[in-house]
Amino acid sequence: MKKLLLFIFTLSVTFTLNAQTFHGKKLEVNDKAIAASKIEAKMDDKLKLQTRVTGIVDDVCQAAGCWMNITTTEGKTMRVTFKDYAFFVPKDIAGKKVTFEGIAMKKETSVEHLKHYALDAGKSEEEIAKITKPEYAITFEAEGVIIEK
């Protein structure tokens, strides 16, 4: 009986440690995602690309979890927003691995929006004041997100 209880306990801990949480559209767990570090090369000269990406969360909107930044390549990040603001992610997932699916887009983000994002991230007034130019970068609109535990 003790061995059976120990086995059940070990099994439940294993499933808990390997658990994933889903936000938005429930995605099938598979290995078809491309690494965030390869998104720029994958897009090449395309302005939009429907895809699945995996990466590490660099930063999250601290106001509501309404966006996250994913580390891409040397010092770059990609802002991920959520389709129609239909869902948000937890504010404490920086450093966690995520997989998300939707549309990658090359676009310009206005100074106004960049300042708004900086405010959401809890940046100081001095840091926000330094934002004076729009940013042209790859952004992502996700339909669903899987967060690895």
Side-chain angles (χ1 to χ4, degrees):
M1 185 64 163
K2 284 183 183 180
K3 288 183 180 183
L4 178 61
L5 289 175
L6 181 61
F7 174 75
I8 292 171
F9 174 76
T10 304
L11 193 59
S12 68
V13 168
T14 301
F15 281 120
T16 301
L17 291 175
N18 292 325
Q20 300 164 324
T21 59
F22 296 85
H23 299 272
K25 174 183 163 186
K26 187 163 183 184
L27 305 178
E28 254 185 63
V29 177
N30 63 40
D31 59 354
K32 295 183 181 179
I34 61 169
S37 61
K38 299 188 187 304
I39 189 73
E40 200 168 337
K42 182 79 171 172
M43 286 192 76
D44 194 28
D45 61 350
K46 298 176 192 80
L47 294 178
K48 290 185 176 185
L49 177 67
Q50 176 76 34
T51 190
R52 180 182 278 218
V53 177
T54 188
I56 304 298
V57 177
D58 184 52
D59 197 11
V60 179
C61 169
Q62 291 302 296
C66 55
W67 53 261
M68 61 185 175
N69 285 334
I70 304 298
T71 303
T72 55
T73 56
E74 299 101 30
K76 293 183 183 179
T77 59
M78 173 175 58
R79 182 166 322 277
V80 179
T81 57
F82 310 111
K83 186 174 173 96
D84 300 327
Y85 288 96
F87 66 97
F88 298 131
V89 295
K91 297 185 276 185
D92 63 349
I93 61 168
K96 295 207 180 213
K97 181 179 178 185
V98 292
T99 300
F100 46 97
E101 186 172 285
I103 300 174
M105 300 165 274
K106 290 181 183 175
K107 70 178 204 173
E108 184 176 276
T109 304
S110 70
V111 171
E112 179 184 7
H113 275 97
L114 291 172
K115 286 185 175 194
H116 175 83
Y117 293 142
L119 183 65
D120 282 351
K123 303 291 183 187
S124 70
E125 287 183 27
E126 294 80 24
E127 289 173 296
I128 294 171
K130 290 179 183 177
I131 300 170
T132 60
K133 294 181 181 177
E135 180 180 275
Y136 189 76
I138 296 174
T139 62
F140 201 97
E141 183 180 65
E143 296 174 358
V145 177
I146 302 170
I147 302 169
E148 302 287 331
K149 290 244 177 183

